[in-house]
């Protein structure tokens, strides 16, 4: 596929869509430096703000996950948001980086922006709840987890995470057990839910 995209660029070397497609193929082949150059070329051409915002996200992910360059990754995510202010995923990814950097307040703000833009973004609710739990905002975290479950009723991670709050936060052991059991019912291979269920059973004397 790399050779095919390069041949396409020989016919139309200014085409940003070809550069983006080639960059994606190069990432798959772990040729990251060359992929960055093609992503940047596609961004510079900016044929459509919403499309270019997605390319900025891809480049941000590359800088963060491969090069561990937090500042550059955040810069490209902020560019994505400037290009498309309704891009909830860019806000969510920004929240992930803030969270990894232990800037929990900023991560909560970013996740809330993602949720405001897309109330159906169940992963943003889940991650926001985790950040709220870290700040000891227990009631708010419970609300956020329940929002995630309302949007996606089979979201077993949210059931497990909510169970942790009931177990370790407010000590409602029976509710915690019910939530861990529901996570296991949805995904019978979810090891963390079994571990947490065992903790709840131990606390209940079973």
């Amino acid at each position: 596929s790399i050779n095919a995209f390069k041949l396409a660029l020989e016919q139309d070397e200014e085409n940003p869509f070809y550069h983006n497609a080639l960059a994606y193929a190069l990432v798959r082949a772990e040729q990251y430096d060359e992929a960055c150059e093609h992503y940047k070329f596609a961004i510079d051409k900016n044929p459509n703000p919403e499309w270019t915002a997605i390319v900025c996200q891809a480049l941000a992910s590359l800088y963060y996950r491969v090069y561990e360059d937090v500042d550059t990754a955040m810069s490209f995510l902020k560019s994505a948001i400037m290009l498309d202010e309704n891009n909830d995923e860019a806000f969510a990814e920004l929240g992930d980086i803030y969270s990894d950097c232990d800037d929990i307040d900023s991560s909560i703000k970013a996740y809330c922006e993602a949720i405001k833009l897309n109330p159906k973004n169940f992963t943003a609710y889940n991650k926001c709840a985790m950040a709220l739990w870290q700040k000891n905002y227990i009631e708010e975290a419970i609300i956020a987890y329940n929002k995630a479950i309302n949007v996606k009723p089979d979201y077993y991670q949210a059931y497990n995470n909510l169970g942790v709050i009931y177990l370790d936060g407010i000590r409602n052991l029976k509710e915690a057990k019910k939530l861990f059991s529901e996570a296991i019912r949805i995904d019978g291979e979810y090891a963390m839910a079994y571990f947490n269920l065992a903790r709840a059973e131990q606390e209940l004397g079973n």
Side-chain angles (χ1 to χ4, degrees), residues 105 108 129 131-142 165:
D105 289 329
I108 291 171
L132 289 163
W133 168 238
Q134 284 183 265
K135 295 292 290 186
N136 204 33
Y137 299 144
I138 295 176
E139 291 183 9
E140 292 84 351
I142 290 172
I165 292 182

Side-chain angles (χ1 to χ4, degrees), residues 83-203:
L83 287 162
D84 180 10
E85 61 184 13
N86 295 316
N87 189 329
D88 62 297
E89 290 298 336
F91 276 107
E93 289 172 27
L94 196 58
D96 292 345
I97 296 178
Y98 280 128
S99 181
D100 289 345
C101 295
D102 292 323
D103 186 351
I104 306 304
D105 289 329
S106 295
S107 74
I108 291 171
K109 289 178 182 177
Y111 291 136
C112 286
E113 285 297 326
I115 292 165
K116 188 187 302 181
L117 291 169
N118 179 11
K120 298 294 185 182
N121 191 331
F122 55 88
T123 58
Y125 277 120
N126 184 60
K127 291 176 179 179
C128 187
M130 293 174 71
L132 289 163
W133 168 238
Q134 284 183 265
K135 295 292 290 186
N136 204 33
Y137 299 144
I138 295 176
E139 291 183 9
E140 292 84 351
I142 290 172
I143 291 169
Y145 279 132
N146 278 307
K147 288 281 190 181
I149 291 167
N150 287 339
V151 173
K152 187 174 174 58
D154 63 347
Y155 196 10
Y156 55 90
Q157 295 98 327
Y159 284 104
N160 175 74
N161 295 342
L162 182 55
V164 170
I165 292 182
Y166 277 99
L167 177 61
D168 298 327
I170 58 180
R171 304 298 293 168
N172 185 335
L173 304 181
K174 290 183 179 179
E175 184 65 20
K177 177 179 175 178
K178 185 168 72 173
L179 289 161
F180 298 138
S181 298
E182 181 63 16
I184 291 166
R185 185 193 68 78
I186 296 168
D187 183 353
E189 297 183 358
Y190 188 25
M192 184 57 70
Y194 283 106
F195 172 75
N196 285 324
L197 179 58
R199 292 201 299 126
E201 294 285 18
Q202 184 180 38
E203 292 288 336

Side-chain angles (χ1 to χ4, degrees), residues 20 23-24 27 35-43 55 58-59 62:
N20 177 64
Y24 178 75
V27 169
C36 283
E37 295 307 311
H38 287 284
Y39 274 138
K40 288 176 182 177
F41 186 94
I43 291 167
V55 181
L59 190 52
L62 187 56

